[in-house]
Amino acid sequence: MKTLQCHLLTAAAFKPYGDVIEMSGTNPISINSGNCLRYSDLAALDIDSSGAAGISIFDAKPYQSPMQLNYVERHPLGSQAFIPMTSDAYIVVVADDINGTAQEPKVFLTNGKQGVNYARNVWHGVLTPVIQQSLFTVVDYIGTADNLEEYFFDTPYFIEFFES
Amino acid sequence: MKTLQCHLLTAAAFKPYGDVIEMSGTNPISINSGNCLRYSDLAALDIDSSGAAGISIFDAKPYQSPMQLNYVERHPLGSQAFIPMTSDAYIVVVADDINGTAQEPKVFLTNGKQGVNYARNVWHGVLTPVIQQSLFTVVDYIGTADNLEEYFFDTPYFIEFFES
């Protein structure tokens, strides 16, 4: 099995797959008499009209390195944004698609102040905290239609997220 | 000047003003082979069709007790959700409206795992961390129309958020 290395998440590297929701690279607006900076409109929400965008909380258990990656998933009915409710890092896995087949994944580690917004139909790994059980704000498709596709790799990958 | 006391935030007390975005009181769905619980669709998003819902980050400085409350604000073009990106408590201020006049505010303290979604046109205070400078995920109206009304109290209030 192939072991995938982890790289720090950047907007440039993630651009083909969606948005990094972060303050870096964005000009804020000063509001509330200078007490607050607003970094506005950081994700391209793309939600199918058969449903609507909604806000959810995900409560996810942590994973340990090396982690076995058996599959990725994607959502045909909308983008899906994850923003941490704690300042812990987590792993972001994405993969290119060729004719419905997920290619070798790319693996990123967040800096504790980054969310991600997977574009509609982008193959990605499940929510993967690595420090502790963690809460995430999720903005995605709310509706009754089937919004999940999974792709199981012929040979699973291993992911190492902390170098020894 | 009148001093307002602070109460722990509950969904029941906040119901006239919007949603508490929290896990309590909601049945989750188990996903990702049991590694994640999804608490789904926790806020009634209500965004004017002249714009669209978007995701922003607010970076807000903390306030100290007793805090002087000079004004509240409201947004005619949409609901506005705040979910913390750290596990720190913050203050939530809301007020009833009578013919465009904000009434005596109610003040709540969150438990570190709660967001709020102010309903459209509900008078509320500005983002008020009380522990440290904090980041928040915000989901609100993104558009070019004027979406801010402010109401200045004839006599400011004081808010005490930690009992001595």
Side-chain angles (χ1 to χ4, degrees), chain A residues 22-83:
Chain A
E22 63 179 347
M23 297 178 288
S24 173
T26 306
N27 287 325
I29 305 161
S30 179
I31 60 174
N32 304 348
S33 306
N35 272 20
C36 185
L37 294 177
R38 178 186 174 116
Y39 297 81
S40 212
D41 199 16
L42 303 176
L45 299 187
D46 173 21
I47 304 296
D48 194 81
S49 60
S50 67
I55 299 175
S56 302
I57 292 177
F58 281 25
D59 183 3
K61 294 179 184 170
Y63 293 76
Q64 291 188 315
S65 180
M67 183 185 96
Q68 184 170 325
L69 181 73
N70 297 314
Y71 74 105
V72 287
E73 63 183 41
R74 64 180 181 179
H75 306 298
L77 299 179
S79 55
Q80 187 176 44
F82 294 85
I83 308 106

Side-chain angles (χ1 to χ4, degrees), chain A residues 75-118:
Chain A
H75 306 298
L77 299 179
S79 55
Q80 187 176 44
F82 294 85
I83 308 106
M85 292 177 65
T86 62
S87 52
D88 297 319
Y90 60 100
I91 291 287
V92 174
V93 174
V94 288
D96 291 316
D97 175 82
I98 296 180
N99 297 325
T101 299
Q103 306 301 302
E104 180 175 302
K106 297 178 184 177
V107 184
F108 302 100
L109 180 68
T110 68
N111 66 12
K113 296 181 176 181
Q114 292 171 317
V116 292
N117 182 49
Y118 299 113

Side-chain angles (χ1 to χ4, degrees), chain B residues 48 50-51 77 141-148:
Chain B
D48 194 81
S50 67
L77 298 180
Y141 172 87
I142 302 291
T144 55
D146 184 12
N147 188 29
L148 178 64

Side-chain angles (χ1 to χ4, degrees), chain A residues 90-155:
Chain A
Y90 60 100
I91 291 287
V92 174
V93 174
V94 288
D96 291 316
D97 175 82
I98 296 180
N99 297 325
T101 299
Q103 306 301 302
E104 180 175 302
K106 297 178 184 177
V107 184
F108 302 100
L109 180 68
T110 68
N111 66 12
K113 296 181 176 181
Q114 292 171 317
V116 292
N117 182 49
Y118 299 113
R120 191 196 286 226
N121 258 327
V122 163
W123 293 117
H124 60 274
V126 301
L127 187 54
T128 311
V130 294
I131 307 294
Q132 59 182 339
Q133 186 167 344
S134 303
L135 305 181
F136 289 78
T137 303
V138 177
V139 179
D140 68 353
Y141 172 87
I142 303 291
T144 55
D146 184 10
N147 189 30
L148 178 65
E149 290 180 32
E150 294 174 325
Y151 180 84
F152 285 78
F153 296 110
D154 290 336
T155 304

